[in-house]
Amino acid sequence: MKVAKFAFSLFGVNTYAVYDPATLKCAIIDPGMIDAEEEEALVNFVKRNNLTVTHVINTHLHIDHAIGDGFAAKAFGAPVLAHEADMFLGDRMQRQAEEFGIAARVDNVSVTSYLTDGEKIRIGEGTLEVIHVPGHSPGGVALYDPEGGFVISGDSLFAGSVGRADLPGGDMRTLLDAIERKLFTLPGSTVVYPGHGPATTIAREKATNPFLL
């Protein structure tokens, strides 16, 4: 599958469109659009490439990664997926928004179905495998395409860093253990597309990430 990245909102979040070029089926990962201009950019990309959005998927439910859930679900008529352990965050999305002064644009997250560890999500002829990676949040997940050789890591693993663990439900030991057991066992050539910042690889992070040496 192919991956397109958008850097959205005051949070600098990476929103991804993952799509199968054979069938033009698409998943939107972590919709972080915060205004009409960003919403239009995503919609125009989908239209320009003749894509059909079949899923809206959240790696976790912090506001920067889920603020555009409602818009994406309505615009594309697609179900919203997230891990059940993060629903306490989705249910207080408006409260999260109030902390940033943007509550007027935000609704609490309405999830269509819950993601489970090991679940395989079909995107046309492609597959995204759900990997539960708790620690940044209890319900954090990564999305792995073994055939495409990439993983969307959310806020668990970054280039040279890892997710913060001082937010509600976070735990650094849990996060580091999950990265080592769940992500560092992927092939070293696997490209890591994180929730913020540039892409990296599993091999590079195993060799140089200071949090995991």
Side-chain angles (χ1 to χ4, degrees):
M1 290 191 290
K2 292 187 176 182
V3 180
K5 183 181 85 169
F6 303 83
F8 281 146
S9 84
L10 64 125
F11 304 105
V13 67
N14 292 337
T15 292
Y16 295 100
V18 176
Y19 61 99
D20 171 28
T23 64
L24 301 181
K25 303 300 184 184
C26 175
I28 302 299
I29 315 296
D30 289 348
M33 307 83 69
I34 200 170
D35 57 31
E37 182 179 1
E38 293 179 347
E39 293 167 352
E40 184 178 5
L42 182 63
V43 169
N44 285 345
F45 174 84
V46 169
K47 289 181 177 179
R48 187 168 61 249
N49 290 280
N50 297 312
L51 302 176
T52 299
V53 177
T54 58
H55 301 80
V56 176
I57 308 174
N58 291 114
T59 62
H60 61 295
L61 291 179
H62 287 147
I63 186 170
D64 50 341
H65 292 256
I67 191 170
D69 273 13
F71 172 83
K74 183 176 181 180
F76 303 123
V80 177
L81 312 180
H83 196 284
E84 186 174 13
D86 263 17
M87 282 311 300
F88 77 102
L89 295 169
D91 290 341
R92 54 188 286 192
M93 192 64 58
Q94 287 184 323
R95 184 179 301 178
Q96 292 187 60
E98 288 171 1
E99 299 174 2
F100 295 96
I102 54 175
R105 290 188 54 81
V106 180
D107 294 320
N108 290 336
V109 171
S110 179
V111 170
T112 309
S113 61
Y114 297 128
L115 300 170
T116 58
D117 189 44
E119 176 182 354
K120 292 178 172 58
I121 304 170
R122 297 291 299 179
I123 310 297
E125 296 177 359
T127 301
L128 290 175
E129 180 179 340
V130 177
I131 303 174
H132 186 210
V133 189
H136 176 65
S137 71
V141 301
L143 300 163
Y144 176 47
D145 177 1
E147 185 173 336
F150 68 84
V151 63
I152 295 175
S153 61
D155 282 0
S156 58
L157 180 64
F158 302 114
S161 188
V162 298
R164 59 189 293 184
D166 59 342
L167 299 172
D171 182 83
M172 183 58 73
R173 183 64 259 168
T174 298
L175 176 61
L176 297 179
D177 179 67
I179 292 171
E180 291 176 345
R181 290 189 302 103
K182 299 289 192 70
L183 299 183
F184 277 6
T185 55
L186 300 177
S189 60
T190 303
V191 176
V192 179
Y193 292 113
H196 303 267
T200 182
T201 65
I202 291 294
R204 184 181 303 154
E205 296 315 305
K206 287 177 74 172
T208 64
N209 193 306
F211 292 88
L212 293 148
L213 295 177

